[in-house]
Amino acid sequence: MIEKGWQTSERATRRLKKRYRRERRLKAAGILAIGLALGVLVLLLGSVISRGYPAFVKTEIALEITFDARLIDPSGSGEAKQLAKGKYGRALRQALFAKFPDVVERAERRNLTQLFSKAARFELREMILDQPDWIGTTQRVWLTAASDVDMLTKGSLPRDVPQAERRLNDQQLAWVDHFEAAGNLRTVFNGGFFTGSDSREPELAGIGGALAGSFWTLLITLVLAFPLGVAAAVYLQEFAPKNRLTDFIEVNINNLAAVPSIVFGLLGLAIFIQLFELPRSTAIVGGLTLMLMTLPTIIIATRAALAAVPPSIREAAHGVGASPVQVVSHHVLPLAMPGIMTGTIIGMARALGETAPLLMIGMVAFIVDIPSAPFDSATALPVQIFLWADSPERGFEEKMSAAIIVLLAFLIIMNALAVILRRRFETRW
Amino acid sequence: MPLPSKMEISGLDVFYGATRALYDVDMKVAEKRVSALIGPSGCGKSTFLRCLNRMNDIIEGCRVDGDVLLDGNDIYARDLDVVQLRARVGMVFQKPNPFPKSIYDNVAYGPRIHGLTNNAGELDEIVESSLRKAGLYDEVADRMSAPGTSLSGGQQQRLCIARAIAISPEVILMDEPCSALDPIATAKVEELIDELKEDFTIAIVTHNMQQAARVSQYTAFFHLGKLVEFGDTEAIFTNPEEKRTQDYITGRFG
């Protein structure tokens, strides 16, 4: 307890109390703001993850398939080329109708085969090409189920609504339950989601093509934007005279960084596709367009990093007779490198998530082949999300959320890398 | 002046944009002696020093008129290479500014870029002798690969001196080399300056009147951009000709 009279006066005490109250209010407002931001983040991640994680698994149905030589290999040659032409769809249907002999009507039979993915016969073909000695035998094999069955087992498709409002009718539900009761239904890790490319069938659609497209696009962007951006920044910061022209350039670089990305898309369309006649929908054009967008970010980050190198280091290097180029390349640039890397990674992360400019240059097409070079038609991860968000099928909803999870994971990794680099090398002088 | 002069400066004017920093300075820097430049803050003594190895070149908007001769050659001549000039006229700065590299690399950097040697053994010798001349070798011999920035302030400044003398300059310019150091480190650096004048011509800017009196043989007093008085240190401190000089060294202003 402090003695009375220790404080100067009654008024001073009151003033002090008021000051502390104000401090507490400010603190509370700050905590509230952070809490709100965190809450929104949790909401976003929670909704995306809860909707997207089922896409990492898929439903499979087991079936006893008889690989009849008359269907699979009518010529009896055993050559892979002949085996590839086999009637696997017939084999699948025969096995199904043998399992449910009381299903005879055409419509019912169609409903029955619709429980399986359209890719099931290709899966059978792969099995035979891998093990030709299966011809003439009967095997229990796991085949990918149709998207509706997949949705049903994951609980995304409600059972307790009238038949007319359901994607699967009562009979189909009974068949699925029959498979499940006999232990012929399972969910497994869906590797195809990461390696496959886009498809009209939700159960087959994967992000492999989009990942490859993003990879090529970002590679082009990085390879062009990093050296150009660093060189421009070094020249402007270290060598250029200060005059009207360089002031004008500086102002405009700052302006460019604030230009909406769709405008860069239009620019890319006009220059790279119409003027230079590069193939549209390709990673090369996407990379060039994103390069235009990333360049100002890298230039600004690099100039800030160069400006943060203490002038005493420059003086020291000049003082021992280093030439201006040596001062920059031996001392200033290495010291600025962590800052440059951080800026570049953040610029690349922004480019990775960019959608609008890619829409303008036609990277929004439905592309089934995985691009293997920058000149192949491609889409990018965020565009794939956009495409799936647009699709009416229920199965694409979880694919979209899963693609968002993958995109966010990449962004978090890139930003974490930037933070680590900054922490690691920040104060060395 | 009885001794041959290493550098001769005549009619030197310096402008920073529209501001004039030096007015018509004439001075001589005697060979293998220490010349001190004193004067109140902002009097132009550092500007003057930086003209002697053209460090003002890297300052935006700085203009230098007049003649600065090194061994009779104009260092502001059009065809003079400033890199070679700085190899002959080294510099030590106010704040110790070692490179964020190892102690060894700090000293070896100058000889490397000037191609003084291509031989690793010779380079080791240059580094060792430079550190010895700077009086630092015994303190750092067992940690040559430690970063230069891990040394104490006084050691860092001696490392900077070693870095300057590693390229065997003829002149060493020192811009308040002790202002960031404690008295013990200052004493060491002063002792070092006294030894270095055997081999090098030294010009030193200082705020410390006693330091000027202790280490220099010649003293120049600057005031408001003008060289007020220049002569033997003893004469300046005991019997100045100008009243302003007397007022300054007796502490009446500045």
Side-chain angles (χ1 to χ4, degrees), chain B residues 238-251:
Chain B
T238 54
N239 188 17
E241 286 173 16
E242 293 270 339
K243 179 150 190 326
R244 275 181 295 171
T245 315
Q246 184 163 16
D247 287 350
Y248 181 69
I249 58 181
T250 52

Side-chain angles (χ1 to χ4, degrees), chain B residues 172-184:
Chain B
I172 299 177
L173 310 176
M174 297 186 173
D175 190 357
E176 299 181 42
C178 301
S179 67
L181 307 183
D182 67 57
I184 294 167

Side-chain angles (χ1 to χ4, degrees), chain A residues 242 312-313 315-323 326 330-331 335 428, chain B residues 50 55 58 60 83 86 93 97-101 109 113-114 163 167:
Chain A
K242 291 266 172 295
S312 64
I313 298 290
E315 283 196 327
H318 279 295
V320 293
S323 68
Q326 285 172 330
H330 293 172
H331 300 282
L335 289 173
R428 287 206 308 181
Chain B
R50 294 167 65 95
M55 281 301 274
I58 56 175
E60 200 79 34
V83 166
R86 290 187 191 136
F93 298 86
N97 55 355
F99 298 129
K101 299 173 186 280
Y109 181 71
I113 60 167
H114 290 295
R163 182 177 66 190
I167 49 176

Side-chain angles (χ1 to χ4, degrees), chain B residues 107-212:
Chain B
V107 184
Y109 181 71
R112 270 192 195 130
I113 60 167
H114 290 295
L116 295 189
T117 173
N118 286 321
N119 179 325
E122 274 179 53
L123 190 62
D124 287 349
E125 275 171 36
I126 293 175
V127 171
E128 187 185 326
S129 72
S130 304
L131 284 169
R132 276 195 198 286
K133 276 186 208 157
L136 190 62
Y137 186 73
D138 295 333
E139 291 163 59
V140 299
D142 55 343
R143 49 177 175 145
M144 294 290 259
S145 56
T149 44
S150 67
L151 299 173
S152 74
Q155 288 174 323
Q156 284 189 18
Q157 195 60 298
R158 279 179 285 148
L159 178 63
C160 292
I161 292 173
R163 182 177 66 190
I165 59 186
I167 49 176
S168 335
E170 295 151 39
V171 183
I172 299 177
L173 310 176
M174 297 186 173
D175 190 357
E176 299 181 42
C178 301
S179 67
L181 307 183
D182 67 57
I184 294 167
T186 300
K188 278 193 181 164
V189 172
E190 282 182 11
E191 209 176 296
L192 177 60
I193 292 170
D194 208 45
E195 287 167 19
L196 290 176
K197 76 167 191 289
E198 303 293 317
D199 300 315
F200 306 98
T201 302
I202 294 172
I204 176 171
V205 165
T206 178
H207 265 300
N208 183 330
M209 234 67 64
Q210 286 78 27
Q211 187 173 64

Side-chain angles (χ1 to χ4, degrees), chain A residues 72-343:
Chain A
I72 310 291
D73 189 20
S75 65
S77 66
E79 282 173 35
K81 218 171 157 189
Q82 294 299 318
L83 293 182
K85 288 184 189 163
K87 297 184 173 68
Y88 297 97
R90 276 272 286 284
L92 173 65
R93 280 197 299 279
Q94 278 181 1
L96 259 179
F97 303 152
K99 190 172 175 77
F100 298 98
D102 47 335
V103 179
V104 286
E105 226 178 295
R106 268 182 79 92
E108 286 188 350
R109 285 190 156 185
R110 199 169 58 235
N111 286 343
L112 184 56
T113 42
Q114 271 173 4
L115 294 182
F116 289 85
S117 163
K118 283 186 181 146
R121 55 197 167 110
F122 303 120
E123 290 173 353
L124 287 173
R125 187 175 69 191
E126 289 305 309
M127 288 172 197
I128 288 301
L129 289 175
D130 279 353
Q131 296 119 325
D133 53 318
W134 277 13
I135 297 170
T137 65
T138 300
Q139 303 283 345
R140 183 169 179 268
V141 294
W142 288 100
L143 296 169
T144 303
S147 180
D148 290 331
V149 177
D150 192 36
M151 293 291 103
L152 185 78
T153 45
K154 285 171 183 170
S156 308
L157 220 57
R159 277 165 170 270
D160 47 2
V161 290
Q163 182 170 294
E165 293 170 22
R166 244 188 281 130
R167 298 272 300 162
L168 295 171
N169 62 27
D170 290 341
Q171 199 178 18
Q172 286 175 311
L173 283 187
W175 288 327
V176 172
D177 291 340
H178 178 270
F179 279 120
E180 194 166 8
N184 287 332
L185 198 80
R186 69 171 186 188
T187 52
V188 292
F189 175 70
N190 186 6
F193 179 69
F194 296 99
T195 55
S197 61
D198 200 4
S199 167
R200 295 275 180 233
E201 311 301 325
E203 73 274 14
L204 302 177
I207 55 169
L211 278 180
S214 277
F215 169 77
W216 290 116
T217 308
L218 286 189
L219 188 71
I220 301 277
T221 305
L222 180 66
V223 163
L224 293 175
F226 184 71
L228 278 178
V230 172
V234 166
Y235 177 74
L236 283 174
Q237 189 70 26
E238 302 289 331
F239 297 107
K242 291 266 172 295
N243 56 27
R244 286 256 175 89
L245 181 67
T246 49
D247 282 351
F248 179 75
I249 292 173
E250 181 170 354
V251 167
N252 279 293
I253 286 171
N254 291 336
N255 282 341
L256 274 184
V259 167
S261 56
I262 194 145
V263 177
F264 284 107
L266 283 167
L267 184 69
L269 178 67
I271 292 183
F272 301 123
I273 294 181
Q274 286 175 352
L275 193 64
F276 294 148
E277 297 186 342
L278 288 168
R280 58 196 293 259
S281 306
T282 52
I284 179 89
V285 177
L288 285 166
T289 307
L290 292 181
M291 179 268 285
L292 294 179
M293 202 197 74
T294 314
L295 210 47
T297 313
I298 292 183
I299 293 176
I300 291 169
T302 304
R303 290 193 65 175
L306 291 172
V309 174
S312 64
I313 298 290
R314 287 187 183 81
E315 283 196 327
H318 279 295
V320 293
S323 68
V325 171
Q326 285 172 330
V327 172
V328 171
S329 61
H330 293 172
H331 300 282
V332 179
L333 210 49
L335 289 173
M337 212 27 107
I340 297 174
M341 300 288 271
T342 305

